[in-house]
Amino acid sequence: MLPTYDLSTIDGVDHEVEVRRSRRRVRTVTAWREDGRTVVAIPARFTRAQEAEWVRRMLLRLATQERRRRPSDDELVSRAAELSARYLQGRAVPTSVRWSANQGRRWGSCTPSDGSIRISDRVRGMPRWVLDYVLLHELTHLLHPGHGPEFWAELDAYPRTQRARGFLEGYSYREERGPQDPAPDDDVEDVEDTDDTDDAERVEAHVGALEGAAVDRPPAADGTDRDGTD
């Protein structure tokens, strides 16, 4: 039977939580959504109290990440203004920016004649840097309607243009072919990601790295305290 927790204070949503313990997982706790439930992978040595605490922590982090990836229409407008100011010297000023469900295979659209921008619902939930690229792409069309050299020269100011284009191409390929990747394996220790962005619908934390983390660490074989780096 899977452990159950009172998690109603996290985000107002009932959660089915599966906790996966692994003897090979030493220093990380990872959480992700899978088939309508939340999976939290933890070190096997955790006590039940530690397990409950880290489940709560990781659900909170997931909820925060997902809210950040799904901004409202008003938040899209604010983000578009920030991106225009940072990368386009504030020259692109749309009359409206909002989510749209009828973009077909397009990631977004811009109508220079009336200054409106629409972002496909398919982008909702993608990493923030991908959404930023799509917004910048459409903002740039307010300055250059076509995809000529001037258009791409403007987008060169955004450092993740090529990475975002690759992400979107891979996403389209996956949509066409269907999922090919195996399910996450909690017996494989995660490699620390030094990037400050989230590339997938998962969050990871290093044991003891979060403020207030109450995780008991056993002493090393020589009797000295471990330094937390494993």
Side-chain angles (χ1 to χ4, degrees):
M1 180 180 296
L2 300 178
T4 58
Y5 306 95
D6 179 10
L7 301 168
S8 59
T9 60
I10 296 294
D11 54 12
V13 178
D14 292 332
H15 295 274
E16 178 186 347
V17 180
E18 176 183 346
V19 176
R20 298 181 183 175
R21 289 175 173 261
S22 171
R23 289 186 297 274
R24 295 183 61 186
R25 180 177 291 272
V26 177
R27 61 180 179 176
T28 58
V29 177
T30 308
W32 65 90
R33 310 294 192 196
E34 181 180 291
D35 299 329
R37 67 185 185 279
T38 302
V39 178
V40 181
I42 64 173
R45 62 183 173 79
F46 272 15
T47 66
R48 291 300 179 187
Q50 290 168 335
E51 174 184 303
E53 172 65 16
W54 278 95
V55 165
R56 180 175 293 277
R57 285 178 182 273
M58 301 309 281
L59 281 177
L60 180 59
R61 287 166 65 95
L62 266 179
T64 299
Q65 171 182 293
E66 289 169 349
R67 283 195 299 270
R68 183 169 175 263
R69 289 185 174 183
R70 292 170 171 81
S72 65
D73 285 349
D74 288 342
E75 290 169 327
L76 275 185
V77 172
S78 296
R79 186 59 179 169
E82 293 172 6
L83 292 169
S84 178
R86 179 181 299 182
Y87 297 106
L88 301 173
Q89 299 79 50
R91 290 173 294 139
V93 183
T95 57
S96 64
V97 185
R98 64 176 176 82
W99 295 107
S100 173
N102 63 351
Q103 294 297 298
R105 298 181 64 82
R106 298 177 299 180
W107 302 114
S109 63
C110 172
T111 307
S113 60
D114 64 14
S116 64
I117 289 176
R118 301 292 177 262
I119 304 299
S120 171
D121 280 343
R122 295 162 66 213
V123 180
R124 211 165 197 163
M126 289 184 181
R128 177 68 170 266
W129 49 272
V130 177
L131 172 58
D132 282 353
Y133 165 74
V134 175
L135 282 169
L136 268 172
H137 187 110
E138 303 309 330
L139 285 166
T140 304
H141 276 310
L142 292 175
L143 308 176
H144 306 284
H147 289 100
E150 298 88 355
F151 174 89
W152 293 111
E154 297 277 9
L155 278 178
D156 280 345
Y158 182 59
R160 291 180 176 171
T161 289
Q162 295 305 318
R163 184 182 180 191
R165 293 183 68 190
F167 181 99
L168 294 170
E169 289 173 3
Y171 189 95
S172 295
Y173 179 82
R174 184 183 178 90
E175 281 189 324
E176 294 172 1
R177 294 285 302 274
Q180 304 291 318
D181 297 334
D185 182 358
D186 67 307
D187 283 335
V188 178
E189 184 174 336
D190 294 296
V191 176
E192 181 179 4
D193 186 357
T194 57
D195 199 332
D196 61 356
T197 59
D198 298 312
D199 289 348
E201 287 290 341
R202 63 171 60 207
V203 292
E204 179 175 291
H206 279 245
V207 174
L210 297 180
E211 182 179 358
V215 178
D216 298 325
R217 301 181 63 83
D222 60 3
T224 60
D225 290 335
R226 296 177 183 269
D227 62 4
T229 60
D230 287 327

